[in-house]
């Protein structure tokens, strides 16, 4: 019985290790076209990422159960308020329970239209998260107006970038 438990644990570790490597290896890199995806927004309307091209897009992967995500929420909301003309935010909530995100959205004031909830028993198995190589959250991806993935930036760096762009115009 002890051996069975050991092999089960070893098999689980091996499975998750291989899954992690595959997810990171198969994901798009900086400079690559952002992987397109289709989803349903929380208001029930269809969404396709490629239809947003022409401006900066911030994909924000988060979860209502994730303490670091909740800590970043005020910064995300402030970024949206300051740069809503130059930046489209697409928030993708990775949840086990599709209703959990509502409290967070209300508490912090997520007012942008493009909000997606991906419900899955194993949240990192979300088809959108896998396309971007998300293995932990929070995770942010900035997409250029041409549709390519940019560096991984902090909220402060994104704010600075967009502020500089607005001053040039």
């Amino acid at each position: 019985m002890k051996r069975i438990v050991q092999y089960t644990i070893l098999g689980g570790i091996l499975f998750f290790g291989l899954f992690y490597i595959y997810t990171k290896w198969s994901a798009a890199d900086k400079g690559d076209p952002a992987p397109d995806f289709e989803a349903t927004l929380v208001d029930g309307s269809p969404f396709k990422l490629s239809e947003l091209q022409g401006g900066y897009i911030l994909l924000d992967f988060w979860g209502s159960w994730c303490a670091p995500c909740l800590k970043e929420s005020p910064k995300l909301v402030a970024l949206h308020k300051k740069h809503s003309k130059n930046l489209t935010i697409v928030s993708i909530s990775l949840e086990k329970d599709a209703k959990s995100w509502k409290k967070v959205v209300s508490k912090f004031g997520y007012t942008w239209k493009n909000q997606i909830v991906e419900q899955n028993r194993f949240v990192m198995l979300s088809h959108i998260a896998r396309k971007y190589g998300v293995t932990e959250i929070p995770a942010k991806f900035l997409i250029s107006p041409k549709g390519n993935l940019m560096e991984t930036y902090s909220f402060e760096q994104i704010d600075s970038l967009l502020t500089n762009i607005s001053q040039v115009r």
Side-chain angles (χ1 to χ4, degrees):
M1 183 67 170
K2 188 176 178 180
R3 284 233 185 256
I4 293 172
V5 171
Q6 288 174 336
Y7 287 135
T8 303
I9 291 171
L10 182 60
I13 292 169
L14 183 61
F15 171 78
F16 285 109
L18 290 173
F19 174 76
Y20 177 85
I21 291 168
Y22 172 76
T23 300
K24 287 294 187 182
W25 178 73
S26 63
D29 289 324
K30 176 187 128 190
D32 290 346
D36 198 12
F37 63 88
E38 294 181 29
T40 302
L41 299 175
V42 295
D43 67 4
S45 59
F47 173 85
K48 187 171 183 180
L49 180 66
S50 59
E51 292 176 357
L52 295 179
Q53 286 187 0
Y56 287 93
I57 301 166
L58 178 64
L59 293 183
D60 180 55
F61 290 87
W62 69 287
S64 63
W65 48 270
C66 166
C69 300
L70 300 179
K71 187 177 178 183
E72 284 191 345
S73 286
K75 292 179 182 180
L76 180 64
V77 171
L79 188 70
H80 176 257
K81 286 179 180 176
K82 185 173 179 182
H83 297 289
S84 61
K85 291 181 182 176
N86 300 326
L87 179 69
T88 301
I89 295 177
V90 179
S91 57
I92 303 160
S93 181
L94 304 177
E95 302 289 342
K96 287 183 181 180
D97 175 14
K99 297 176 185 171
S100 304
W101 65 275
K102 285 183 182 182
K103 290 179 187 175
V104 175
V105 167
S106 295
K107 178 180 178 181
F108 291 104
Y110 287 24
T111 58
W112 49 92
K113 177 184 183 344
N114 300 312
Q115 297 183 50
I116 299 166
V117 175
E118 283 278 296
Q119 182 178 348
N120 196 318
R121 185 172 177 191
F122 300 102
V123 294
M124 293 307 172
L125 294 180
S126 154
H127 77 284
I128 301 170
R130 286 193 326 253
K131 286 184 176 197
Y132 284 85
V134 174
T135 55
E136 59 186 48
I137 56 174
K140 296 177 284 309
F141 297 89
L142 189 61
I143 301 171
S144 74
K146 293 183 179 181
N148 295 323
L149 288 174
M150 298 176 68
E151 292 280 342
T152 302
Y153 293 109
S154 68
F155 286 118
E156 293 78 12
Q157 291 169 319
I158 295 169
D159 177 43
S160 177
L161 173 78
L162 294 173
T163 299
N164 291 338
I165 289 168
S166 332
Q167 290 173 354
V168 171
R169 291 180 184 177

